[in-house]
Amino acid sequence: MCRFVAYIGKPIMMYDLLFKQKNSLIKQSVKANEMEEPLNGDGFGVGWYTPEANDMPGLFVSVRPAWNDRNLKYIAPKIVSDCLFAHVRAATESPVNELNCHPFHYGQFLFMHNGDIEGFQKIKREMIRHLPDNIYANILGLTDSEHLFALFLHQMEKLQNENDLPTRMANALENSIVEVEEIKARLKMKDPSYINVCVTNGDTIVAVRYVSDLSLPASTLYYTEGAVYTCENGICKMEKSKDKTRNAVLIVSEKLNSRRSDWKPVPVNHIITVNRDLEINVTVCQRTLKVQA
Amino acid sequence: MCRFVAYIGKPIMMYDLLFKQKNSLIKQSVKANEMEEPLNGDGFGVGWYTPEANDMPGLFVSVRPAWNDRNLKYIAPKIVSDCLFAHVRAATESPVNELNCHPFHYGQFLFMHNGDIEGFQKIKREMIRHLPDNIYANILGLTDSEHLFALFLHQMEKLQNENDLPTRMANALENSIVEVEEIKARLKMKDPSYINVCVTNGDTIVAVRYVSDLSLPASTLYYTEGAVYTCENGICKMEKSKDKTRNAVLIVSEKLNSRRSDWKPVPVNHIITVNRDLEINVTVCQRTLKVQA
Amino acid sequence: MCRFVAYIGKPIMMYDLLFKQKNSLIKQSVKANEMEEPLNGDGFGVGWYTPEANDMPGLFVSVRPAWNDRNLKYIAPKIVSDCLFAHVRAATESPVNELNCHPFHYGQFLFMHNGDIEGFQKIKREMIRHLPDNIYANILGLTDSEHLFALFLHQMEKLQNENDLPTRMANALENSIVEVEEIKARLKMKDPSYINVCVTNGDTIVAVRYVSDLSLPASTLYYTEGAVYTCENGICKMEKSKDKTRNAVLIVSEKLNSRRSDWKPVPVNHIITVNRDLEINVTVCQRTLKVQA
Amino acid sequence: MCRFVAYIGKPIMMYDLLFKQKNSLIKQSVKANEMEEPLNGDGFGVGWYTPEANDMPGLFVSVRPAWNDRNLKYIAPKIVSDCLFAHVRAATESPVNELNCHPFHYGQFLFMHNGDIEGFQKIKREMIRHLPDNIYANILGLTDSEHLFALFLHQMEKLQNENDLPTRMANALENSIVEVEEIKARLKMKDPSYINVCVTNGDTIVAVRYVSDLSLPASTLYYTEGAVYTCENGICKMEKSKDKTRNAVLIVSEKLNSRRSDWKPVPVNHIITVNRDLEINVTVCQRTLKVQA
């Protein structure tokens, strides 16, 4: 089902985020805590923004396990960024392949997913049918995740009159899930969808924790925020400031350490947005609720 | 535009076929003779049949160049087979990726392509629209070639009443090209198609040399046949027998040595079939001619 | 510490050996039972003999985990062999790299190791100092295992007057361990060695279960033998014959299923040889005992 | 024989340096101009410094050809650095392998080589015999280049009383070549050495153009310098300033464009140093001359 971390805020070093935490993403690639099957060894990917170079994200993916990748060990200490995505994969149906590694990229956007749209193969052609050529041509792999990303990109185009970017991204994400559910309903499919997704353009992050059938256990999703994310002597933490200044937000598939109080769960079927001022907004998924009702 | 070789007949060692000839496929990966751009370094693949083990083909593909692949050097001397396919790739539009390496596989079939369906991205969704789920699900990569293979497999299903397998395969191959041309015509596309394709089920090979516009230069395609294909002291040749016994047929993108007399060109827009008795049949592409007319 | 299987006897399909058993080597790559750290995801390798093609072994290695390797899934069903080696790696000190994947190859020999020569880096140059050029040039990677193989090959040359091949191989293997221990003693090193090694020339297998300090726990090593190794409906077993005919021997790092009675442990600091008539001989390591005393 | 580029000066984007020039290093990977065998498709590597992150270099290497590497295309536009090394490989004796890709790394140093120490296999053990453990342990691959780097590192330790870093690096480099020649002389070997090497610690670059036998053609080596290295509309050039300010120096295996006047050849058996003030010094190899005499 994969694991991911997303960071936005004061620039940090990718190495600190990926390697140093007690239950860092790299450790989760070997043995995740909050999954039934703990192994996430089917490739990985990292994406990042360095606005001083240009607007487009950098990207590095590999089919090799994250825990022992020499290039990653050399690259991660050189990337200092204010917006970082990282993902370790446990392949479900699609082959282990670079083009199936998250995060996926289009224009300024990065997108990653931890979950499973069951029955995806049966709805795949319906999902791509109405995509504009440019967005369709951007699908390079076979995952449900990348196809959901394509729906999101299409929704972003449809919602171009919405001026507030975080709202537009949140609505586009919800709409793309609604599209999936509508296709399934049309085909009378009862297969559940587990969709924990995170998307960014480099200065706004939107993530959702969604399960199509509320009687089923949604995958975990947490966030934490503070004055600064620090790593010293191998211990990383999100430090709180007295004046409540917020300079760093982290969204993660599972807790990076055992201090439960540090991590706030995103409620099931809620969407979280973090805008460029690092304001956090957690709201219920209204649009999908309607389909589920 | 890629290069390939296909062999059927008395069992031979894959190493002899791929490495020993003066202008062997491995040498063509570095520098092909009959192409404008001589480099074919964007991955490779080999497929083979060993009926004594089972009916399904073996397959080994890699994104690394064929000329220096350690695994291939170890595997090729251990494969002795009566039906071998091998392909070196020069990527055009699709990324260098294992899932884009030829030959492609489905059930008993292997399929490889040297050419380019120009404008493919624009007709891709039309090509997959009517495929049965099982055949659609078998498309793992992004190439025009693999999508053409899917059309071929669908045509094979449609022609199931045709009892003669070589005829059925030849018609299915032609029909799949006709489908491509019809989609292009419907979309008023003038982009040319260069389609040199080779397909086998392990005991019959069908190949076609096709260009959609006869004023354009088709890619080369040759065949040779004889009593036995031998490799001694680094020199390989197809030996002729006095009694005209035929025990080996080779179909190739370009000549493997400089003895012109050894290699018969397949005429443009002709189809060649080699059946399980190694009977060779070269006929004009009637079905595509109608579309072109 | 890695896991391996070695088979000799009536030809079997590699796929059956690697994939079908309840606790098959492929499953051990995800989660081994008899190891503290269960993951063996740092690459893998398979080697095999097909005397009808030639005397040299075939070899296929990859840095990707064995559990999801597409090439392996295609190759394994096509290899039918009377002598098979397979290894999944848990890297200790040396990087994950193809040249560090077992089995290692020289001439007719394949060699694989499950263990750790602690302090190896300190004795490495002593180990290579007296090697003949041809054997030294064959060291391509960084592992203690491959360097031990080089000592073995050198010992084989030294013991060329020993006419009985199984004896020669067993003595060469023991001598190479003695060499390691002598170097360590000379350098006053107390670091322990855990050496479970398996070597073959295609018709004789020699394996050892060795730990330098008998108060430490040796890695596990088992063997089983019978009339035939069969796989039906996903269940594999070594079948016994009434007349005690032996046609198959298997040597493994850990038990492939839970029927304890099937698996005989090789005693600690013993060496097992299986000759071309499949006669099994288990003897104490006399030569190393002397060094340990 | 490989190709490389080294840049030091005002920060530039790696993408501009590697991809945009008419005869850029990426184009040289397909078809180099100033080599007999034009293909450099056996892997590549890039190294860079970003002092604002830390002193250590970043590194990214791959066995895949540079011309079509998706990760490189994503990473190169995100790296803005004042000291960049890049190398495309044409393997001679050592296998295509990540650990044989240049640049090589130790501490603050990066090192790359274009050339061939013929007979290397025969002198390899002599080259490593006297290395300190830490430097010996840093040799991960099989190339003559990496072994020469080890000699250089050892010489750097020996010359620690030399306070001027450029002088110390230049002398260490020359001494390491002298060591190679002395070993060959001792073993009565006549095999020639072609050694074009480039080494940096991030603020000083030293390179040498060396051939052991002056009657043989040394590999090419050029440099260019100017006020700024710019890339606009796909055209890159080193711009000269009126006041002779020097802000950028480039050292290359072959000319990156056809304007001959831009490129000054480093004379055969000369050494070039560029210090942190970008002062350039080209001197004859005194030390090796003595050995050659």
Side-chain angles (χ1 to χ4, degrees):
Chain A
M1 294 280 263
C2 314
R3 299 280 90 170
F4 66 63
V5 300
Y7 173 86
I8 189 161
K10 214 179 136 178
I12 59 169
M13 187 181 290
M14 184 184 281
Y15 190 85
D16 289 351
L17 182 62
L18 294 194
F19 285 86
K20 286 194 178 167
Q21 197 86 17
K22 193 179 166 189
N23 182 38
S24 69
L25 194 70
I26 299 303
K27 281 166 198 147
Q28 293 173 37
S29 73
V30 177
K31 190 165 176 291
N33 286 333
E34 307 189 38
M35 290 170 81
E36 225 172 304
E37 288 296 332
L39 186 57
N40 292 281
D42 296 325
F44 70 91
V46 294
W48 69 97
Y49 295 82
T50 43
E52 61 278 15
N54 51 47
D55 286 347
M56 305 291 276
L59 191 62
F60 173 59
V61 304
S62 171
V63 293
R64 295 164 68 159
W67 64 75
N68 249 335
D69 191 89
R70 190 170 168 254
N71 280 321
L72 182 62
K73 279 179 200 158
Y74 269 115
I75 292 171
K78 304 306 283 182
I79 295 173
V80 175
S81 167
D82 59 357
C83 183
L84 291 163
F85 268 35
H87 185 277
V88 292
R89 186 166 181 239
T92 45
E93 288 203 17
S94 311
V96 177
N97 189 280
E98 289 170 15
L99 299 175
N100 293 335
C101 289
H102 310 220
F104 299 103
H105 165 238
Y106 183 86
Q108 280 186 264
F109 290 105
L110 289 177
F111 182 97
M112 60 189 173
H113 176 215
N114 151 26
D116 192 10
I117 301 176
E118 296 191 11
F120 163 64
Q121 193 59 40
K122 285 176 280 179
I123 65 169
K124 192 174 167 187
R125 275 182 286 191
E126 289 303 307
M127 288 175 76
I128 60 181
R129 185 190 291 270
H130 302 295
L131 295 175
D133 280 349
N134 57 332
I135 292 173
Y136 176 58
N138 193 59
I139 300 178
L140 303 179
L142 293 165
T143 60
D144 50 5
S145 316
E146 194 184 14
H147 284 74
L148 185 65
F149 182 33
L151 294 186
F152 165 82
L153 293 168
H154 192 192
Q155 288 291 339
M156 284 297 288
E157 290 195 355
K158 289 182 183 171
L159 297 172
Q160 56 189 321
N161 292 328
E162 169 56 64
N163 287 324
D164 182 57
L165 185 70
T167 305
R168 184 176 163 202
M169 286 170 64
N171 290 349
L173 190 53
E174 269 208 74
N175 286 356
S176 63
I177 297 174
V178 168
E179 274 196 78
V180 168
E181 298 302 352
E182 284 175 347
I183 294 170
K184 284 190 168 177
R186 213 183 312 137
L187 299 178
K188 305 202 188 316
M189 288 167 59
K190 301 278 185 197
D191 317 58
S193 301
Y194 302 85
I195 301 179
N196 282 16
V197 147
C198 203
V199 61
T200 190
N201 71 331
D203 68 15
T204 294
I205 292 182
V206 175
V208 69
R209 183 183 182 202
Y210 172 80
V211 64
S212 60
D213 177 343
L214 289 168
S215 68
L216 294 171
S219 293
T220 50
L221 190 70
Y222 303 90
Y223 69 104
T224 187
E225 30 110 11
V228 64
Y229 182 77
T230 59
C231 284
E232 271 172 36
N233 304 320
I235 295 169
C236 300
K237 60 182 170 189
M238 186 64 89
E239 290 188 9
K240 307 293 172 187
S241 72
K242 286 175 190 165
D243 63 353
K244 306 248 180 181
T245 317
R246 185 189 294 130
N247 285 318
V249 180
L250 205 45
I251 299 175
V252 298
S253 298
E254 69 176 56
K255 299 184 287 290
L256 302 189
N257 60 35
S258 48
R259 283 199 305 276
R260 283 182 147 271
S261 62
D262 283 11
W263 305 96
K264 301 177 198 168
V266 175
V268 176
N269 288 16
H270 277 64
I271 199 157
I272 175 171
T273 60
V274 187
N275 70 10
R276 63 165 66 201
D277 299 320
L278 300 182
E279 289 164 345
I280 298 174
N281 205 353
V282 180
T283 55
V284 70
C285 295
Q286 293 288 357
R287 289 154 193 252
T288 57
L289 272 182
K290 281 181 207 154
V291 190
Q292 287 172 302
Chain B
M1 293 280 265
C2 314
R3 299 280 90 171
F4 65 65
V5 299
Y7 173 85
I8 190 161
K10 214 178 136 178
I12 60 170
M13 186 181 290
M14 184 185 280
Y15 190 86
D16 288 351
L17 182 61
L18 294 194
F19 285 86
K20 287 193 178 168
Q21 197 86 17
K22 194 179 165 188
N23 182 38
S24 71
L25 193 69
I26 298 303
K27 280 166 198 146
Q28 292 173 37
S29 73
V30 177
K31 189 164 178 292
N33 286 332
E34 306 189 36
M35 289 170 81
E36 224 172 304
E37 289 297 332
L39 185 56
N40 292 281
D42 296 324
F44 70 91
V46 293
W48 69 97
Y49 294 83
T50 44
E52 60 280 14
N54 50 47
D55 286 349
M56 305 289 278
L59 191 62
F60 174 60
V61 304
S62 171
V63 292
R64 296 164 67 159
W67 63 74
N68 248 335
D69 192 88
R70 191 171 168 251
N71 279 322
L72 183 61
K73 279 178 198 157
Y74 269 115
I75 291 172
K78 304 305 284 184
I79 295 174
V80 175
S81 167
D82 59 357
C83 183
L84 290 163
F85 267 36
H87 185 276
V88 293
R89 187 165 179 238
T92 45
E93 289 204 17
S94 312
V96 178
N97 188 279
E98 290 170 13
L99 299 176
N100 293 336
C101 289
H102 311 221
F104 300 102
H105 165 237
Y106 183 85
Q108 281 186 260
F109 290 105
L110 289 176
F111 182 98
M112 58 189 176
H113 176 215
N114 152 25
D116 193 10
I117 301 177
E118 295 191 11
F120 163 64
Q121 193 60 40
K122 286 177 279 180
I123 65 169
K124 192 174 166 187
R125 275 183 285 190
E126 289 303 306
M127 287 175 78
I128 61 180
R129 185 190 290 273
H130 302 295
L131 295 176
D133 280 348
N134 58 330
I135 291 173
Y136 176 58
N138 192 60
I139 300 178
L140 303 178
L142 293 164
T143 59
D144 50 4
S145 316
E146 194 185 12
H147 284 75
L148 185 65
F149 182 33
L151 295 185
F152 165 79
L153 293 168
H154 192 192
Q155 289 291 340
M156 284 298 288
E157 288 194 357
K158 289 182 183 170
L159 297 173
Q160 57 190 320
N161 291 326
E162 169 58 64
N163 288 322
D164 182 56
L165 184 72
T167 305
R168 186 175 162 200
M169 287 171 62
N171 290 349
L173 190 54
E174 269 209 74
N175 286 356
S176 62
I177 297 174
V178 168
E179 274 196 78
V180 168
E181 298 302 354
E182 284 174 348
I183 294 171
K184 284 190 167 177
R186 215 183 310 138
L187 299 178
K188 308 206 186 312
M189 289 167 58
K190 302 276 187 199
D191 315 60
S193 301
Y194 302 84
I195 301 179
N196 282 15
V197 148
C198 203
V199 61
T200 189
N201 70 333
D203 67 16
T204 294
I205 292 182
V206 175
V208 70
R209 183 184 181 199
Y210 173 80
V211 62
S212 59
D213 177 344
L214 289 169
S215 69
L216 295 170
S219 293
T220 50
L221 189 70
Y222 303 90
Y223 69 103
T224 186
E225 30 110 12
V228 63
Y229 183 77
T230 60
C231 284
E232 271 171 38
N233 304 321
I235 295 168
C236 300
K237 59 181 170 188
M238 186 65 88
E239 290 189 9
K240 306 295 174 188
S241 72
K242 285 174 189 164
D243 63 355
K244 306 248 181 181
T245 317
R246 184 190 296 130
N247 285 317
V249 179
L250 206 44
I251 299 175
V252 298
S253 297
E254 68 176 55
K255 299 183 287 292
L256 302 189
N257 60 36
S258 48
R259 281 199 307 274
R260 284 181 146 272
S261 61
D262 283 11
W263 306 97
K264 300 177 200 169
V266 175
V268 176
N269 288 14
H270 277 62
I271 198 157
I272 175 172
T273 61
V274 187
N275 70 10
R276 64 165 66 201
D277 299 320
L278 300 181
E279 289 163 346
I280 297 174
N281 204 352
V282 181
T283 54
V284 70
C285 293
Q286 293 288 357
R287 289 153 193 252
T288 57
L289 272 183
K290 281 182 205 154
V291 189
Q292 288 172 302
Chain C
M1 294 280 264
C2 314
R3 299 280 90 171
F4 65 63
V5 299
Y7 173 86
I8 190 161
K10 214 179 133 177
I12 60 170
M13 186 182 291
M14 185 185 279
Y15 191 86
D16 289 350
L17 182 63
L18 293 194
F19 284 85
K20 286 194 178 167
Q21 196 87 15
K22 194 179 165 188
N23 182 37
S24 70
L25 193 70
I26 299 304
K27 281 166 198 147
Q28 292 173 38
S29 73
V30 177
K31 189 164 177 291
N33 287 330
E34 306 188 37
M35 290 170 82
E36 225 171 303
E37 289 296 333
L39 186 56
N40 291 280
D42 297 325
F44 70 91
V46 294
W48 69 97
Y49 295 81
T50 43
E52 60 278 15
N54 51 47
D55 286 349
M56 304 291 275
L59 192 63
F60 173 60
V61 305
S62 171
V63 292
R64 296 165 68 159
W67 64 75
N68 249 337
D69 192 88
R70 189 170 169 253
N71 279 322
L72 183 61
K73 280 179 199 156
Y74 268 115
I75 292 171
K78 304 306 284 183
I79 296 173
V80 175
S81 166
D82 59 357
C83 184
L84 291 162
F85 268 35
H87 185 277
V88 291
R89 187 166 180 239
T92 45
E93 290 204 15
S94 311
V96 177
N97 188 279
E98 289 169 15
L99 299 176
N100 293 336
C101 288
H102 310 222
F104 300 103
H105 165 237
Y106 183 86
Q108 281 186 262
F109 290 105
L110 289 177
F111 182 98
M112 59 189 174
H113 176 215
N114 152 27
D116 191 11
I117 301 176
E118 295 191 11
F120 162 65
Q121 193 60 39
K122 286 176 279 180
I123 65 169
K124 191 174 167 187
R125 275 182 286 190
E126 289 304 305
M127 286 175 77
I128 60 180
R129 186 190 290 272
H130 303 294
L131 294 176
D133 280 348
N134 57 332
I135 292 174
Y136 176 58
N138 192 59
I139 299 178
L140 303 178
L142 292 165
T143 60
D144 50 4
S145 315
E146 194 184 13
H147 285 75
L148 186 65
F149 182 34
L151 295 186
F152 165 81
L153 293 168
H154 193 191
Q155 288 292 340
M156 284 297 289
E157 290 194 355
K158 289 182 184 171
L159 297 173
Q160 57 190 319
N161 292 327
E162 170 58 63
N163 287 323
D164 182 57
L165 184 73
T167 304
R168 185 176 162 201
M169 286 170 63
N171 289 349
L173 190 54
E174 269 208 74
N175 286 357
S176 62
I177 297 175
V178 168
E179 274 196 78
V180 168
E181 298 302 351
E182 284 175 348
I183 294 170
K184 284 190 167 177
R186 215 185 309 136
L187 299 177
K188 307 205 188 312
M189 289 167 58
K190 300 278 185 197
D191 315 59
S193 301
Y194 302 85
I195 301 179
N196 282 15
V197 147
C198 204
V199 60
T200 189
N201 70 333
D203 68 15
T204 294
I205 292 182
V206 175
V208 70
R209 182 183 181 200
Y210 172 80
V211 63
S212 60
D213 177 343
L214 288 169
S215 68
L216 294 170
S219 293
T220 49
L221 190 69
Y222 303 91
Y223 69 103
T224 187
E225 30 112 11
V228 63
Y229 183 77
T230 60
C231 284
E232 272 173 34
N233 304 320
I235 296 168
C236 301
K237 58 183 170 187
M238 186 64 90
E239 290 188 11
K240 306 295 174 187
S241 72
K242 285 174 190 165
D243 63 353
K244 306 248 179 182
T245 317
R246 185 189 295 129
N247 285 317
V249 180
L250 205 46
I251 299 175
V252 297
S253 296
E254 69 177 55
K255 298 183 287 291
L256 302 189
N257 60 34
S258 48
R259 283 197 306 274
R260 283 181 147 272
S261 61
D262 284 11
W263 306 96
K264 302 177 199 172
V266 176
V268 177
N269 288 17
H270 277 65
I271 199 157
I272 175 172
T273 60
V274 186
N275 70 11
R276 64 164 67 200
D277 300 319
L278 300 182
E279 290 164 344
I280 298 173
N281 205 351
V282 180
T283 54
V284 72
C285 295
Q286 292 288 356
R287 289 154 192 252
T288 57
L289 272 182
K290 281 182 205 153
V291 190
Q292 289 172 300
Chain D
M1 294 283 263
C2 314
R3 299 281 89 171
F4 66 64
V5 300
Y7 173 85
I8 190 161
K10 213 178 136 177
I12 59 169
M13 186 181 292
M14 184 184 281
Y15 191 86
D16 289 351
L17 182 61
L18 295 194
F19 286 85
K20 286 194 178 165
Q21 196 86 17
K22 192 177 166 190
N23 183 36
S24 70
L25 194 69
I26 299 303
K27 281 165 198 146
Q28 292 173 37
S29 72
V30 177
K31 188 163 177 291
N33 286 332
E34 306 189 38
M35 290 169 81
E36 223 172 305
E37 289 296 332
L39 185 57
N40 292 281
D42 296 324
F44 70 91
V46 294
W48 69 98
Y49 295 81
T50 44
E52 60 280 15
N54 50 46
D55 286 350
M56 305 289 277
L59 192 61
F60 174 60
V61 305
S62 172
V63 291
R64 296 164 67 160
W67 63 75
N68 248 335
D69 191 88
R70 190 170 168 255
N71 279 321
L72 183 61
K73 279 178 199 158
Y74 268 115
I75 292 171
K78 305 305 285 181
I79 295 173
V80 175
S81 167
D82 60 357
C83 184
L84 290 162
F85 267 37
H87 185 276
V88 292
R89 186 165 181 239
T92 44
E93 288 204 17
S94 311
V96 177
N97 189 279
E98 289 169 15
L99 299 175
N100 293 337
C101 289
H102 310 222
F104 300 102
H105 165 237
Y106 183 86
Q108 281 186 262
F109 290 105
L110 288 177
F111 182 98
M112 56 188 177
H113 175 215
N114 151 28
D116 192 10
I117 302 176
E118 296 191 12
F120 163 64
Q121 192 59 39
K122 286 176 279 179
I123 64 169
K124 191 174 167 187
R125 276 182 285 190
E126 288 304 306
M127 286 174 77
I128 61 180
R129 185 191 290 272
H130 303 295
L131 295 175
D133 280 348
N134 57 332
I135 291 172
Y136 176 58
N138 192 59
I139 300 178
L140 303 179
L142 293 164
T143 60
D144 50 4
S145 316
E146 194 184 14
H147 285 74
L148 185 65
F149 181 33
L151 295 185
F152 166 80
L153 293 169
H154 192 193
Q155 288 290 340
M156 283 299 287
E157 290 194 356
K158 289 182 185 171
L159 298 172
Q160 57 190 318
N161 292 327
E162 170 57 63
N163 288 323
D164 182 57
L165 185 71
T167 305
R168 186 175 161 202
M169 286 171 62
N171 290 349
L173 190 54
E174 269 209 72
N175 286 356
S176 62
I177 297 173
V178 168
E179 274 196 79
V180 168
E181 299 301 353
E182 285 175 347
I183 293 170
K184 284 190 166 176
R186 215 183 311 136
L187 299 178
K188 307 203 186 314
M189 287 167 59
K190 301 276 187 201
D191 316 59
S193 301
Y194 302 85
I195 301 180
N196 282 16
V197 147
C198 203
V199 62
T200 189
N201 70 334
D203 67 16
T204 294
I205 292 182
V206 175
V208 70
R209 182 183 182 200
Y210 173 79
V211 63
S212 59
D213 176 344
L214 289 168
S215 69
L216 294 171
S219 293
T220 50
L221 190 71
Y222 302 91
Y223 69 103
T224 186
E225 31 110 11
V228 63
Y229 183 77
T230 59
C231 284
E232 271 171 37
N233 304 321
I235 295 167
C236 300
K237 59 183 169 187
M238 186 65 89
E239 290 188 8
K240 306 294 174 190
S241 72
K242 286 174 187 164
D243 62 355
K244 305 246 181 185
T245 316
R246 186 189 294 131
N247 285 318
V249 180
L250 205 45
I251 300 175
V252 298
S253 298
E254 69 176 55
K255 299 184 286 291
L256 302 190
N257 60 34
S258 48
R259 283 198 306 275
R260 282 181 147 275
S261 61
D262 284 10
W263 306 95
K264 302 177 198 169
V266 176
V268 176
N269 288 14
H270 277 63
I271 199 157
I272 174 171
T273 61
V274 187
N275 70 10
R276 64 166 65 202
D277 300 319
L278 299 180
E279 290 164 345
I280 297 172
N281 205 354
V282 180
T283 54
V284 72
C285 295
Q286 294 288 358
R287 290 153 192 253
T288 56
L289 272 182
K290 281 180 204 154
V291 190
Q292 288 173 301

